[in-house]
Amino acid sequence: MKKSTPSHSVLIVDDNPHSRESLCDAVSMIGYQTVSCGSGREALDRLAKQAFDVVVTDLQMPGMDGLQLVREVRARHERTQLVMVTAHGSIHTAVDAMRFGALDYLEKPVQIEALESAIGRAIQSTSRGDRATAIPPGGDSDSVVMIGNSLAMQTLRQRIALVAPTDETILITGESGTGKELVARSIHQASRRCAEAMISLNCPVLSAHLMESELFGHERGAFTSADHARIGRFELADKGTILLDEITEIDLPLQAKLLRVLQEKRFEKVGSSSTVEADVRVLATSNRDLLAEVAAGRFRQDLYYRLNVVPIELPPLRDRTEDIPKLVDHFLNAAVIRVGREMLTVADSAMELLQSHPWPGNVRELENIITRAALLTIGHDLTPEQIRPWLTENSQESISLQSTGNVSVVGMRLEDMERQLIEQTLEHFEGHREKTATALGISVRTLSNKLRSYGLAPRARTFAHV
């Protein structure tokens, strides 16, 4: 079977040919199309001719440096996300990069887990149609997540309005695809810290050793590969907000250190005895039942109560189907503009079909279907006959994979059945993560997290020469 071509594209910008080639290899291995440029000016010229989902740029370049490129891309290409990579880390440049519009900031040597996480999050933001920018002062959170007038959404709006102006820790829970990260962004935008940075960390993608360094930073020589000092996410988020995405994936020993930061607002970098103070508001998300995790001994009870000061639970889409027409209008308007076609009319019978679907992938799955409709529908009307195959193909694919793999589900634990389904779907698509995630109705990031938990991380962990 011929391997599918990745549908998302990444532009690599680095004046060092060796670093540029290594980054291209890493991004290609993750599963995205890559194009490279040797300067900021060349990158702008390329962007004027071709749209890219993500730009990964070096900081230190002759002529136009990375920060200048970030500002130029933000001004000209709103929907293109940016990730900055540099060996010249400092709090000043990291925060500036995010304020100017970079979604993430990575230091060389680049850890492939961190690179994959950053690009995956950028792809999700692009796919959602978010305006690719730093969290803006006084940003309008309604335009991002507050779509729908169901009772559940009204309650969510009210809860955000009440808690956002405070500095309280907030725990956001809900199924994958319900919009937990976007709710976190809305809370930050409506807070008194909105002029400062919101720094995110996707917890499942890193080992315990790397996680501590990402959270708190490290000094040069703290461990074998620490050939330069690292600024941690808490230090980067000083005076702003930190989002700990899927916090249940943090190992127990590190949970104790995180508890101290929440209580005392201070920490030590790895390899240092000096205490660093950080004024940071903490938002955390999870798609797991935290009380069950506490009962199983996988999550500290004291940390749970410290995080769960203000709980916000997001409803699955199947529990607010009355919001689907407004969501369809929103996604369809964005999609037709993006692909450059005339507006589609959604037949009443098609809308009824959409409202009757269980949406295991929640709002993210709905957006994918509507985007597909904008790309593939011939004519002006979207009908049930066009939509129905897309809604059923995932379940048919699952049945086919289970049949060909001779999977017996009787008596099998749910997590084991899920693992077999994911592994066989990945094999079916010849290792292509984006196609696999689409077939399963989950995000690439969720798929990568699950594969990593199975011990199926990418072949190489570090590109030391990048």
Side-chain angles (χ1 to χ4, degrees), residues 347 349-350 353 377 381-392:
S349 53
L353 178 61
T377 299
D381 299 319
L382 186 59
T383 66
E385 290 72 26
Q386 292 168 308
I387 298 173
R388 188 174 287 109
W390 302 335
L391 297 179
T392 59

Side-chain angles (χ1 to χ4, degrees), residues 135-174:
I135 304 302
D140 181 7
S141 62
D142 282 5
S143 65
V144 180
V145 293
M146 301 292 102
I147 299 172
N149 295 319
S150 63
L151 179 60
M153 292 305 295
Q154 293 179 39
T155 302
L156 178 59
R157 287 191 191 93
Q158 293 169 356
R159 181 66 63 89
I160 290 175
L162 286 171
V163 304
T166 74
D167 271 346
E168 296 300 326
T169 301
I170 298 177
L171 178 62
I172 306 166
T173 58

